[in-house]
Amino acid sequence: MTADSRYILWLNGVEVSRGPIRSQPRRLTYDVVDLAPYLRSGRNVLCARVQYYGENTAWWMKADANLALGNFGVFAFEAYCDKDKSLISDDSWKATVSDAWSSVPMQDRTLSTAPLEVFDARRLSMHWIDLNFDDTGWSSAKIVAAEHMGSLKYDSPPTDPYGPMRVRPISKLTTFEKTSSVHSVHVVHDELSLHSDPVKHVLANLAADNIQSVAAKPDFPVAMQVAGGCATVIIVDFGREVAGTLRIALDAPEGTVVDVAASEALSAFASANQHTGFRYIARGQEDSFESFDPMGMRYAKVCITGTHECRVESVTIHERLYPFTDRGSFISNDSRLNSIFEAGVRTVSLTSHDAFIDCPSREQRAWIGDSVVHQLVHLTVNADWKLAIWNPQLANSPRYDGILPMSVAGDSEAAGGVNIPEWSLHWISSVYNLYRYVGDKVLVASLLPSVERVLRWFLPYQNEQGLLEHLPEWVLVDWSTVMREGASSILNAHFALGLWQFSEMAAWLEDAGRAKWATTIWSEIRNSFDVFWDPKREAYVDNIVNGIPGRAISQLAQALPVCGRLVPPERFDALLRNMVDKRHLTCKSWLADVFERFISEAPNLTSEQDGNELLLESIVNGSMDINVDWDMEQESVEAQPFMRYMVHDAVVLAGGPDKIADLCLDWGSFLDAEGDTFWELWTGGSLCHGWSSTPTRDLIQYTLGVTPATPGFESARIAPRLGHLEWAKGQVPTPYGFITVHIDKHSILVESPVPFHLDLSGDEELCFPAGRHSLDRVSDS
């Protein structure tokens, strides 16, 4: 089954499927489910709710409509019982367009384009999915034939504008119910007029001058007397970041209005930065409601408007996340490091839905650059690699000039326009990860033409020295305050890395011509790259503007040239000092400055729209409004959490893999904030951002030291570097089963389903066949 836009399917009142997963309309997927476990003897009832969004969202983009399809919701279903019997969606089905649901226009919401659901329970029977529901008032379903210029009016897929569909390529999301507790209860006297937007109505009541907190904090169920002209706001706490569909159960008179706003934190800024929630209007009996779309939060702010007595029975969430059921592990003698590893797993889990998303709360967009870290966490921890394999294919949706969108299968791709060029370079790394871990030549070969088109997109911006400069789109690089104008050393080195990765993949596919082409351009960059070198400081500067080297240096300006294989080995020691010596590092983020400005000016804003405009203006102009309040001659700007993945890669390549465990301890600051997820920035942003989960990858790849030695893990390389640790152990997934490593200062035990190369000293590698091997360590390196 599939739908435009989304569906939920019930059999005998039990939910059996929801989908389809996010995709571009012309690459629509369908879901397959075994109905047999849900059937019973005699009569059965099959029900579907189909939701058509109509306007682009963070995870859905509108199809190019033809004469018949693309402007309204459609649903297709086929069930096969045996050779002679089938059940197909046709005009024998009963259907209705329900007016119980409505939506709130998405205007004035800059970052969050999640649909806001409004459901009036009085307008739909609670028993509509029951076997004995009387559907005589419903009409026959309408069969929609594909009608367009040149069409033959087929009435079954494949049809334009959806094209040939493929089966869902990823696993079904897991569902876990999480309960909440009451954080606080507030009464708003002289209640505000009901706003058409439920989130705005909740926030307005919480900001009202005449709000009064209830002294005693009750447990569920929460009973209240909602007097005329008053509103009650209940704030519930899930105790940690959660993501899924929110459910509320209550006993309330008919017509009671319940507005819900989800929020990562209690602060007004966190609420303004996230715009997700719903409105429920009670039917007056057996009132319960579960949101159609997922949302992320720690707190749910529930505003109840009406008269008479009301009781909220519970507020729960069904977490709907990609499964991490059979997973790798890391344990050491450092309990803080162990917690950091697990927090990374939790963070990536909350940002793994039907694609890798940036955050479950504010946006839920599938940003193509962010996902490289999510993917590596899955490849190093999760035995189910389907999402890690699928996400780069989902992102393979080039703009007509070859570059990829900032985010895919949603409003950003649909709008076209400006993008982030280096996000496409991160995508090349995700394809390179498929080459190393999965080793599927057919898959990599299918993606390589898009990799080449991305690289060729950059060529017109090369100057006479072969260096990129003056790129016209959003050169983001990182949220850290690095200088990007003119010719950027960081961007040029990242481009060189993409060329180097492309050349290696092309050679693996025996495509010598493409490999030579990429190597030639890479060599031009390497030969010119010394213009960024400052011999006095033994560091690369961030940029050169009009031929004049800038004075700013950063961690990334030292790391990316190492990753791009542009650095002579004799400079490694100096660059390593610049990357890891915290005495000379300073934490600066232009986005943090944007948020600080937003918070300081928020009290003077007259509307949320003004706030959104201020935030957007600040982000757009942020790179030109950098406040240089550090000593550029003596201090280096450290990378924000996302780009630390490349810093750590560079540290290893420069000869410092033993430093990784120490570097990962920086993520302990997030644990100190009483959470178990990693933030977007060191000092703010969203509070659950998958791109910040580098330590979970690193503790597997560099501390335990387990990586593929050959594509597809036909053999492994094990090069553990404990650093400050006394011992560490863990298991790492491969296509052939788990590799287990247990190492301390004196010995190492390895169990591997594949042959492996063991590197304990950095000088020589020992080769072992698959099996269990134990030996004394020959070095304490």
Side-chain angles (χ1 to χ4, degrees), residues 411-478:
D411 50 5
S412 179
E413 180 179 356
V418 70
N419 67 41
I420 308 173
E422 65 272 27
W423 257 224
S424 293
L425 299 176
H426 289 294
W427 174 79
I428 292 176
S429 290
S430 72
V431 177
Y432 184 77
N433 294 335
L434 294 182
Y435 146 67
R436 291 187 64 216
Y437 276 81
V438 181
D440 184 336
K441 287 193 172 185
V442 174
L443 172 61
V444 175
S446 72
L447 296 170
L448 212 61
S450 292
V451 175
E452 181 179 352
R453 290 193 70 197
V454 165
L455 294 170
R456 288 187 180 277
W457 181 90
F458 287 89
L459 298 183
Y461 303 105
Q462 288 184 295
N463 61 21
E464 293 178 354
Q465 291 75 43
L467 297 175
L468 302 173
E469 65 176 348
H470 303 311
L471 268 69
E473 304 206 34
W474 183 11
V475 179
L476 172 57
V477 177
D478 188 29

Side-chain angles (χ1 to χ4, degrees), residues 147-161:
E147 188 174 352
H148 56 83
M149 184 180 294
S151 71
L152 299 176
K153 295 188 178 180
Y154 292 119
D155 59 7
S156 61
T159 56
D160 180 83

